[in-house]
Structures are given as structure tokens and as C-alpha cells.
Amino acid sequence: MMNSPEAESSTHSESNDKAAPSTSNVSGQEENVPKSEKSPLKRKSAGPKNAKTKKHKKARVSRSAQLGYTVHQGEDMLLVISNASSQYDGSVWKPQKRRIKKKTVVKGKVKSTQVKKLKTVRAKPKPANNPVTKTEEDTAAFVPQKPVDHRWGQSLPEEVLVNIFNMVVIQDGAVPFLCRVGRVCRLWNAAASSPVLWRKVCVSHCWIASGKKQLPKTEKKIKETFDWLAQNRFSQLRDFSLCHWSKNANYAVEVVSQSCPHLRSLKLSYCTGLTAGAFQILGQHSSSLQSINLQYSEFQVEGLLEYLENHGRQIKQILFTHALKNDRLLAALSRGCCPDLELLEVNTKLDSKNCELSICIHALQTACPKLKTFRMLNVRPLHKTVRSGADSTSGFPLLEELCIATTSYSYMTDKDLLDILFSSTRLRVLDLRGCSRITPPGLATLPCP
């Protein structure tokens, strides 16, 4: 009877032991469970998610596994080189130890940000058929080499550059070539500023397009540019041409004549607005002027006539377009205002209706005995008087070229041609296009061997 309670207590303890397993058994079971079964248990824990993800990122960074690429830092870029050698054997690039030591100094945070950026670059697809030589070239490009100086143009002597620029100026003109090459470097600017290259300049409508209005700011800029060119570039200017200027042509002629004492030739083509004041300033400052070309331009005839009467002895070439107002120029030449004239050219437009030119050959031969080139283009010369005898005038003894070409009907006959060339034994060029009345026997009588 005394053993019965003890037996009951023992049986009760055994039943409790069977119902609730001991903690020692549980810990032993956890140790035997594999890692794959243990991970899902940890995910269901009540811990904060952010802390768990941070631990996960830190575990990835601290892994000793090698990355699939290698970063090489150059002067201005980062080179990412893959370590995979599945396609080509022996193509894995190994960085130098010195480069690796420099990267170990960088903090871990900076490393992680660089890894993220490089992953985006690595994600871009690369062509599969890249040759091995391309990888070798890329790796060789970052090998430290001596810097190569490609500025060969700055090592040339200035005299050589001036000669090279002069060849281009002869073919294409000084503007805008010299203005552009002067902005390359200081040496080229010094060579392009040489006054020898600015002896022949042609300026067209480069500021505004034809048919558009000119704003006041544009006009001010044009005048300032001309002033600067005259002070810094035009010291040895010889030949100056101005084309298609509807405004500021008068100002340009005044500035050029005042700043260029060596000016010999002035050409105004399709320009308007040239006044008598410009011709006065031209006569006061341009004592070396010898050639005037005013074809297809509008100007005050009175100003040009006054200039020829006062300074006509220095003029050797005159070119103008035939018009009702310009006929007085030919009359002034016939009076002897330009005794040393060597070239005379009178032309008209092809669509001009008024192409009859009244000319006195006898008076012109007397006034211009040194004439070498005489051209009447697209005009029909009408003789006012005909030479009566061969002894009354000397003719054109130095004439070398005569051009009487026209697209319309010409009244030139064999007798009229002989009156012009009866003493021109040096004639080399004769252009008679459109002169249908000239016959072969008439050409045979000319004293032109």
C-alpha cells in the first residue's frame, strides 16, 4: 500500500515526459536540421524586415567570391573588362598589383556605389563576334605612354604659313579665308595678319542676304568692322572690290581711300548709293589709283566727271556700263581728260534695249593714243564723224585687243573697221562676234600681221 502512491507518481511523470519533449532533444534536433530547412523558419520570424535585408546586403559584399569583371581606372573613363574566358582561352585580363592597391584605399561605401554603376554598364549587350585584337587594343590604350603632340601647325615657321596662305588667297581671295584661319591659334593669327596677304580684297554682301532690310545694329556692325580692317589689315591694300552693296558703299569707299595710300584699283559691281563726296575723298587721298571699274553700279556721274577732270592723268583703266547718263563719260574721255588711258571697256546688259553707242573714233584716237585694249560689248557703235584722211590722226598705234562683240544686229562695216585699225600694227586679238557685215576681203586689208 505504501508503494502505490510512488508508483502513481512515477507513472504520472512518465506520461508527462512522453507528452512534452524536453528542450535538450529540441536543441539536438535543430542542430541536425540542414540549412535548406532552416532558412524558411527564419523568414517567418517576427523580426524587422529592414534589418534582415541590411544583413543580407552586408553578407553579399563581404563574400570572398570573385566578381565577373575587373575595373580599370584611366584618365577620363572607367574600363570594365570581363573575366569570363568561355569564348576565348587566355583572354582574361589581370590587373596590375599597383592598380589593386590604389583601389583598396577607397572606402567600402564608394566601392558599393561603383559596383552598382558598373552593373548597369555590364548589363548592356555586347556583340558576340568581337575579335581578340579589339580587346588587346583597348587594354593597350590605357598603358601609360608618352603624350603625343598633334599641334604640328604651331611648330611651323611663320614665313612658311604666310606662303601657304598666300597660295590660297591668290585662288580664293583674302576674305573670308584669312578671317577664319586667324581664329585657329596665335601663330596662325599672326601669319594671317601679315599685310602682304591683304593686298587684294573682295567684299560681297556677307552681313545680310540680298533682298532683306538692314537693321541699324547691322549697319553699325558693318561700319565698325570696316574701321577695324582699315586700321589693322589694309595698310598695304592694292586692289579693292565691293560687290552687291545697296547700302554703306559710300562709307566703305571713303574709309578705304583714307586708310589705303597704296590703292591702285577700285571695283564697284552692282553697288548703289555712291555720291560725289566719295569721289572727292578718293581724289584727295588715293594718289596711286589707276583703275576704276563701275560696271552695273549706280553712281553720281557729276562726281566722277569732276574726279576725271582733276585726277584723270593718273587713270589708266576705266570700265563702265552704257546708259543715257553715262554717255558723258565717253565724251569726257574724247576731250582728253585721261591721256594715259590704256584700257577702255563699255558694256551693256544682255536684255538692254538701248545699246546704240554714239562714239567719235577720230577724237578718241587723238585723246587716248596709248590705248592698248578697247572693248565695246553688246553695243552698236555709231560713228559721229568719219576720218577724212590717213594723215589727220595717228590712230591707235599701241592697240593690242579690239572687241566689238554684240548679240544684236551690228552696223559695223569694213570701212569702219579700217578707220579704227589703220595704224594698229600690234593687234593680237580681234573679236567681231555679231558683225555680219565684215567680209574676208575687208579683214585682208587690215595692217595686222
Side-chain angles (χ1 to χ4, degrees):
M1 293 296 293
M2 293 177 66
N3 296 329
S4 62
E6 295 176 359
E8 289 176 1
S9 62
S10 63
T11 56
H12 182 69
S13 62
E14 288 176 1
S15 64
N16 291 333
D17 294 336
K18 292 179 180 180
S22 62
T23 57
S24 62
N25 294 332
V26 173
S27 61
Q29 289 177 2
E30 289 180 355
E31 291 177 358
N32 297 327
V33 173
K35 293 182 181 180
S36 61
E37 296 179 0
K38 187 177 178 180
S39 57
L41 293 175
K42 288 184 179 180
R43 291 178 183 174
K44 293 180 180 179
S45 62
K49 293 183 179 180
N50 296 330
K52 206 163 195 180
T53 53
K54 287 182 180 178
K55 290 180 180 179
H56 186 64
K57 289 183 179 178
K58 287 182 180 179
R60 284 188 177 180
V61 174
S62 61
R63 283 179 183 176
S64 60
Q66 295 182 356
L67 297 176
Y69 52 85
T70 305
V71 181
H72 183 73
Q73 185 174 2
E75 294 180 358
D76 55 352
M77 66 178 67
L78 294 176
L79 178 65
V80 182
I81 302 176
S82 176
N83 292 336
S85 59
S86 59
Q87 186 176 358
Y88 302 104
D89 295 334
S91 61
V92 179
W93 181 81
K94 296 180 181 180
Q96 298 178 1
K97 293 182 179 181
R98 185 176 58 185
R99 302 290 182 181
I100 295 173
K101 288 181 180 179
K102 287 185 179 179
K103 289 189 176 183
T104 54
V105 180
V106 185
K107 295 181 180 180
K109 292 183 180 180
V110 180
K111 249 185 206 181
S112 62
T113 53
Q114 288 180 355
V115 169
K116 287 182 181 179
K117 291 182 179 178
L118 293 174
K119 278 186 178 180
T120 56
V121 177
R122 182 67 182 87
K124 293 182 179 179
K126 295 183 178 180
N129 56 352
N130 287 338
V132 182
T133 55
K134 187 173 183 181
T135 307
E136 294 177 356
E137 290 177 359
D138 294 340
T139 54
F142 292 93
V143 176
Q145 297 177 357
K146 294 182 179 179
V148 181
D149 191 4
H150 298 284
R151 297 173 298 178
W152 59 269
Q154 297 184 8
S155 61
L156 289 176
E158 185 177 343
E159 294 78 6
V160 177
L161 283 176
V162 171
N163 292 332
I164 295 173
F165 293 166
N166 190 25
M167 296 178 185
V168 183
V169 168
I170 293 174
Q171 183 177 358
D172 299 335
V175 179
F177 170 72
L178 295 178
C179 301
R180 292 175 178 173
V181 298
R183 301 174 63 183
V184 175
C185 61
R186 293 183 179 179
L187 178 62
W188 286 37
N189 188 12
S193 304
S194 178
V196 180
L197 301 175
W198 294 85
R199 292 182 176 179
K200 185 176 181 180
V201 177
C202 179
V203 181
S204 60
H205 50 80
C206 53
W207 278 280
I208 58 172
S210 58
K212 291 187 177 181
K213 295 183 179 180
Q214 189 177 102
L215 300 176
K217 293 183 179 180
T218 307
E219 184 176 359
K220 182 181 178 181
K221 183 179 179 181
I222 292 172
K223 292 182 178 180
E224 291 177 354
T225 303
F226 247 99
D227 293 338
W228 185 87
L229 288 173
Q231 296 174 4
N232 299 276
R233 297 292 185 270
F234 290 168
S235 60
Q236 295 187 15
L237 184 64
R238 306 288 180 84
D239 303 332
F240 180 71
S241 300
L242 200 66
C243 304
H244 297 276
W245 275 48
S246 58
K247 293 182 179 180
N248 303 315
N250 198 48
Y251 181 81
V253 172
E254 292 178 0
V255 171
V256 169
S257 59
Q258 292 175 357
S259 306
C260 306
H262 304 287
L263 187 66
R264 297 185 306 179
S265 174
L266 177 64
K267 179 181 179 181
L268 302 177
S269 180
Y270 297 95
C271 295
T272 58
L274 198 63
T275 60
F279 289 108
Q280 292 178 359
I281 296 176
L282 194 66
Q284 294 174 2
H285 299 88
S286 300
S287 58
S288 302
L289 188 65
Q290 298 179 359
S291 176
I292 298 178
N293 188 347
L294 300 174
Q295 290 180 342
Y296 308 109
S297 295
E298 297 179 5
F299 55 91
Q300 289 186 358
V301 183
E302 292 79 7
L304 181 58
L305 290 175
E306 183 180 357
Y307 173 79
L308 292 178
E309 290 176 359
N310 297 328
H311 308 279
R313 292 187 175 274
Q314 69 186 34
I315 301 299
K316 295 183 178 181
Q317 297 181 0
I318 292 181
L319 300 90
F320 63 92
T321 301
H322 168 61
L324 295 176
K325 296 180 180 181
N326 299 343
D327 289 343
R328 291 184 291 175
L329 293 176
L330 194 58
L333 295 176
S334 300
R335 291 195 300 266
C337 62
C338 299
D340 296 335
L341 192 66
E342 297 179 359
L343 186 147
L344 175 60
E345 180 176 332
V346 184
N347 67 348
T348 58
K349 297 181 179 179
L350 294 178
D351 56 350
S352 178
K353 296 180 180 179
N354 185 16
C355 58
E356 293 183 357
L357 178 63
S358 299
I359 182 173
C360 182
I361 296 296
H362 175 75
L364 189 63
Q365 289 174 344
T366 305
C368 304
K370 299 181 181 180
L371 195 65
K372 295 181 180 181
T373 303
F374 188 22
R375 299 170 184 160
M376 292 180 287
L377 305 177
N378 201 33
V379 297
R380 289 182 294 179
L382 299 177
H383 295 277
K384 290 183 179 179
T385 57
V386 180
R387 180 179 56 82
S388 58
D391 298 333
S392 61
T393 180
S394 59
F396 296 120
L398 303 179
L399 192 65
E400 297 178 359
E401 178 182 350
L402 177 63
C403 180
I404 316 178
T406 178
T407 58
S408 59
Y409 187 76
S410 177
Y411 299 108
M412 181 68 63
T413 60
D414 293 337
K415 187 177 183 302
D416 298 334
L417 185 61
L418 184 60
D419 290 339
I420 299 174
L421 300 175
F422 74 94
S423 63
S424 303
T425 57
R426 299 184 181 182
L427 190 70
R428 297 183 295 106
V429 179
L430 180 61
D431 190 353
L432 300 174
R433 287 173 293 175
C435 301
S436 58
R437 294 188 177 185
I438 302 297
T439 61
L443 293 175
T445 58
L446 298 177
C448 309

Short mmCIF file of all heavy atoms in Angstrom, two decimals, residues 372-393:
data_model
loop_
_atom_site.label_atom_id
_atom_site.label_comp_id
_atom_site.label_asym_id
_atom_site.label_seq_id
_atom_site.Cartn_x
_atom_site.Cartn_y
_atom_site.Cartn_z
N LYS A 372 45.61 100.41 -125.34
CA LYS A 372 46.04 99.06 -125.71
C LYS A 372 44.88 98.07 -125.82
O LYS A 372 44.95 97.13 -126.62
CB LYS A 372 47.04 98.52 -124.69
CG LYS A 372 48.34 99.29 -124.64
CD LYS A 372 49.29 98.68 -123.62
CE LYS A 372 50.61 99.44 -123.56
NZ LYS A 372 51.55 98.84 -122.57
N THR A 373 43.82 98.28 -125.06
CA THR A 373 42.66 97.38 -125.07
C THR A 373 41.40 98.22 -125.19
O THR A 373 41.13 99.10 -124.35
CB THR A 373 42.60 96.53 -123.78
OG1 THR A 373 43.82 95.81 -123.64
CG2 THR A 373 41.45 95.56 -123.84
N PHE A 374 40.61 97.93 -126.22
CA PHE A 374 39.37 98.67 -126.48
C PHE A 374 38.25 97.65 -126.67
O PHE A 374 38.28 96.86 -127.62
CB PHE A 374 39.52 99.56 -127.71
CG PHE A 374 38.36 100.48 -127.94
CD1 PHE A 374 37.51 100.84 -126.90
CD2 PHE A 374 38.11 101.00 -129.20
CE1 PHE A 374 36.45 101.68 -127.12
CE2 PHE A 374 37.04 101.85 -129.43
CZ PHE A 374 36.21 102.19 -128.38
N ARG A 375 37.27 97.65 -125.75
CA ARG A 375 36.17 96.69 -125.79
C ARG A 375 34.84 97.42 -125.77
O ARG A 375 34.60 98.26 -124.90
CB ARG A 375 36.23 95.72 -124.59
CG ARG A 375 37.49 94.89 -124.52
CD ARG A 375 37.57 94.17 -123.20
NE ARG A 375 38.83 93.43 -123.05
CZ ARG A 375 39.33 93.03 -121.89
NH1 ARG A 375 38.66 93.27 -120.75
NH2 ARG A 375 40.47 92.39 -121.84
N MET A 376 33.98 97.06 -126.73
CA MET A 376 32.60 97.54 -126.78
C MET A 376 31.70 96.30 -126.84
O MET A 376 31.49 95.72 -127.91
CB MET A 376 32.39 98.44 -128.01
CG MET A 376 33.16 99.75 -127.92
SD MET A 376 32.92 100.81 -129.37
CE MET A 376 33.90 99.92 -130.58
N LEU A 377 31.22 95.86 -125.67
CA LEU A 377 30.50 94.61 -125.52
C LEU A 377 29.00 94.85 -125.54
O LEU A 377 28.46 95.63 -124.73
CB LEU A 377 30.91 93.93 -124.20
CG LEU A 377 32.41 93.68 -124.01
CD1 LEU A 377 32.68 93.06 -122.65
CD2 LEU A 377 32.96 92.79 -125.11
N ASN A 378 28.32 94.19 -126.48
CA ASN A 378 26.87 94.23 -126.61
C ASN A 378 26.36 95.64 -126.91
O ASN A 378 25.25 96.01 -126.50
CB ASN A 378 26.20 93.69 -125.34
CG ASN A 378 24.78 93.24 -125.60
OD1 ASN A 378 24.46 92.74 -126.68
ND2 ASN A 378 23.90 93.42 -124.62
N VAL A 379 27.15 96.41 -127.58
CA VAL A 379 26.72 97.75 -128.00
C VAL A 379 26.90 97.87 -129.52
O VAL A 379 27.68 97.13 -130.13
CB VAL A 379 27.53 98.86 -127.28
CG1 VAL A 379 27.29 98.80 -125.79
CG2 VAL A 379 29.01 98.75 -127.60
N ARG A 380 26.17 98.82 -130.08
CA ARG A 380 26.29 99.10 -131.52
C ARG A 380 26.90 100.48 -131.68
O ARG A 380 26.22 101.50 -131.50
CB ARG A 380 24.92 99.03 -132.19
CG ARG A 380 24.38 97.62 -132.28
CD ARG A 380 23.06 97.58 -133.00
NE ARG A 380 22.02 98.27 -132.25
CZ ARG A 380 20.75 98.38 -132.68
NH1 ARG A 380 20.40 97.85 -133.86
NH2 ARG A 380 19.86 99.01 -131.95
N PRO A 381 28.19 100.54 -131.98
CA PRO A 381 28.83 101.86 -132.10
C PRO A 381 28.34 102.61 -133.33
O PRO A 381 28.26 102.06 -134.44
CB PRO A 381 30.32 101.52 -132.19
CG PRO A 381 30.36 100.13 -132.69
CD PRO A 381 29.14 99.44 -132.18
N LEU A 382 27.99 103.87 -133.12
CA LEU A 382 27.57 104.76 -134.20
C LEU A 382 28.60 105.88 -134.33
O LEU A 382 28.81 106.65 -133.39
CB LEU A 382 26.19 105.35 -133.91
CG LEU A 382 25.03 104.34 -133.77
CD1 LEU A 382 23.74 105.07 -133.40
CD2 LEU A 382 24.85 103.56 -135.06
N HIS A 383 29.24 105.96 -135.48
CA HIS A 383 30.30 106.95 -135.67
C HIS A 383 29.67 108.32 -135.94
O HIS A 383 28.81 108.47 -136.81
CB HIS A 383 31.18 106.56 -136.86
CG HIS A 383 31.94 105.28 -136.63
ND1 HIS A 383 33.11 105.24 -135.92
CD2 HIS A 383 31.67 104.00 -137.01
CE1 HIS A 383 33.55 103.98 -135.87
NE2 HIS A 383 32.68 103.22 -136.53
N LYS A 384 30.12 109.28 -135.17
CA LYS A 384 29.64 110.64 -135.38
C LYS A 384 30.31 111.25 -136.60
O LYS A 384 29.66 111.88 -137.43
CB LYS A 384 29.92 111.50 -134.13
CG LYS A 384 29.05 111.13 -132.94
CD LYS A 384 29.35 112.07 -131.78
CE LYS A 384 28.46 111.75 -130.59
NZ LYS A 384 28.75 112.65 -129.43
N THR A 385 31.60 111.11 -136.68
CA THR A 385 32.34 111.63 -137.82
C THR A 385 33.27 110.54 -138.32
O THR A 385 33.71 109.66 -137.57
CB THR A 385 33.18 112.86 -137.42
OG1 THR A 385 34.05 112.51 -136.34
CG2 THR A 385 32.28 114.01 -136.99
N VAL A 386 33.60 110.56 -139.58
CA VAL A 386 34.47 109.58 -140.19
C VAL A 386 35.77 110.27 -140.56
O VAL A 386 35.78 111.41 -141.05
CB VAL A 386 33.80 108.94 -141.43
CG1 VAL A 386 34.73 107.90 -142.06
CG2 VAL A 386 32.47 108.34 -141.06
N ARG A 387 36.85 109.59 -140.36
CA ARG A 387 38.15 110.16 -140.66
C ARG A 387 38.25 110.44 -142.17
O ARG A 387 37.97 109.58 -143.00
CB ARG A 387 39.25 109.19 -140.22
CG ARG A 387 40.66 109.69 -140.48
CD ARG A 387 41.67 108.66 -139.99
NE ARG A 387 41.43 107.37 -140.62
CZ ARG A 387 41.89 107.05 -141.85
NH1 ARG A 387 42.57 107.91 -142.55
NH2 ARG A 387 41.62 105.86 -142.36
N SER A 388 38.69 111.66 -142.54
CA SER A 388 38.76 112.06 -143.96
C SER A 388 40.04 111.58 -144.61
O SER A 388 40.06 111.18 -145.76
CB SER A 388 38.63 113.59 -144.09
OG SER A 388 39.67 114.21 -143.33
N GLY A 389 41.16 111.60 -143.88
CA GLY A 389 42.42 111.20 -144.47
C GLY A 389 43.28 110.47 -143.46
O GLY A 389 43.11 110.60 -142.25
N ALA A 390 44.24 109.71 -143.93
CA ALA A 390 45.09 108.91 -143.06
C ALA A 390 46.10 109.77 -142.32
O ALA A 390 46.61 109.38 -141.28
CB ALA A 390 45.81 107.84 -143.85
N ASP A 391 46.39 110.96 -142.83
CA ASP A 391 47.41 111.79 -142.20
C ASP A 391 46.83 112.68 -141.11
O ASP A 391 47.57 113.38 -140.43
CB ASP A 391 48.08 112.68 -143.26
CG ASP A 391 48.80 111.85 -144.30
OD1 ASP A 391 49.21 110.71 -143.96
OD2 ASP A 391 48.95 112.33 -145.44
N SER A 392 45.51 112.68 -140.90
CA SER A 392 44.89 113.57 -139.93
C SER A 392 45.02 113.08 -138.50
O SER A 392 44.85 113.85 -137.58
CB SER A 392 43.40 113.78 -140.27
OG SER A 392 42.73 112.52 -140.21
N THR A 393 45.29 111.83 -138.30
CA THR A 393 45.41 111.27 -136.96
C THR A 393 46.40 110.12 -136.98
O THR A 393 46.67 109.53 -138.02
CB THR A 393 44.04 110.78 -136.44
OG1 THR A 393 44.22 110.25 -135.13
CG2 THR A 393 43.48 109.73 -137.35
#
